Amino acid sequence: FLPVAISLMVTFESSIMMLGLPAEIYVYGAQWWISTIGYLCAKVLSMFIMVPLIHPLKITSAYEYLLLRFNSTGVRLLGTVLGMLSYTWYMGIVLFGPAIALEAVTGFPLWGSIFIVAFVAVIYTTIGGLKAVVWTDVFQALGTMDVGSPSKVWEIASKGGRVNFFNFDPDPRVRHTFWNLFFGSLMRGLAFCFSQATIQRIGATNSRREAT
């Protein structure tokens, strides 16, 4: 179950997070960490709600559940179309982000980077299926681990005025507060729990305990 767990974690560590989140924290401070509490609460809720519901069904697609739940091919088809559109837009942004970074650093053409990454992903997924996706995610996780100095990071953040962990201001116009970060990440985390990627990996485990 460990490779599946790592794969699920890396699935949501896209270029949007890798490139956008550091910039967000650099500009607006470290208060973003509160969102991890919301995500953690969402995962705990999914352990008691999502896993017992989905794992016994042994489905491979989130849209299969729609068919079982509503007994309607139309509902399943609608969910499938909306899901495909959503993931198409999402993957476009995910591919575009690192392509811009690669072009800025190496001068490699933007379209070439997007094409190569997409082509390789399609090939290994087609050949190896979910197993190939899981193990690719595992190697990706190992490759992105970096050893640094926490004290140095803290020193730089302190000098830049980015060590601001709590802001309980109820004003909705404030960009980062405890309230919008916690509840926003909680809702987003619950949405992730019902995503196609999560349901696939729940179904890939042998038991409910492993899925949990």
Side-chain angles (χ1 to χ4, degrees):
F1 73 96
L2 184 59
V4 176
I6 295 175
S7 174
L8 185 58
M9 176 189 71
V10 174
T11 295
F12 299 111
E13 289 185 357
S14 67
S15 61
I16 300 173
M17 189 192 79
M18 293 295 186
L19 298 176
L21 191 54
E24 186 76 10
I25 293 175
Y26 182 85
V27 175
Y28 297 102
Q31 191 169 200
W32 185 269
W33 78 274
I34 294 173
S35 63
T36 60
I37 302 176
Y39 284 124
L40 178 61
C41 292
K43 301 309 177 186
V44 172
L45 288 174
S46 71
M47 289 169 55
F48 295 100
I49 299 174
M50 177 71 173
V51 174
L53 174 67
I54 297 299
H55 189 270
L57 300 177
K58 289 299 180 182
I59 56 178
T60 57
S61 165
Y63 316 113
E64 286 184 64
Y65 176 77
L66 294 177
L67 179 62
L68 294 174
R69 173 64 178 82
F70 298 102
N71 193 28
S72 171
T73 305
V75 173
R76 176 179 179 175
L77 181 60
L78 177 62
T80 302
V81 172
L82 293 176
M84 290 175 63
L85 290 174
S86 174
Y87 272 97
T88 299
W89 292 329
Y90 172 76
M91 290 308 302
I93 299 173
V94 168
L95 290 171
F96 188 65
I100 292 178
L102 190 62
E103 183 183 39
V105 174
T106 66
F108 193 79
L110 186 70
W111 65 268
S113 176
I114 294 175
F115 175 79
I116 291 173
V117 173
F119 180 77
V120 171
V122 169
I123 292 299
Y124 77 70
T125 302
T126 302
I127 295 175
L130 183 59
K131 182 179 289 187
V133 174
V134 168
W135 283 108
T136 302
D137 287 341
V138 171
F139 291 128
Q140 179 184 339
L142 296 176
T144 54
M145 291 180 181
D146 187 22
V147 178
S149 170
S151 60
K152 186 65 176 178
V153 173
W154 182 269
E155 178 186 345
I156 295 174
S158 298
K159 289 181 179 179
R162 303 182 189 93
V163 184
N164 52 340
F165 292 118
F166 295 100
N167 180 6
F168 293 97
D169 190 342
D171 189 346
R173 296 171 298 177
V174 178
R175 186 180 184 93
H176 289 166
T177 67
F178 174 87
W179 311 110
N180 59 32
L181 287 172
F182 174 76
F183 289 106
S185 59
L186 176 63
M187 294 298 103
R188 191 161 184 255
L190 290 174
F192 283 155
C193 293
F194 285 89
S195 70
Q196 172 69 7
T198 302
I199 289 179
Q200 280 184 331
R201 285 155 180 80
I202 289 176
T205 55
N206 294 321
S207 66
R208 184 185 299 182
R209 182 176 181 180
E210 289 186 2
T212 304

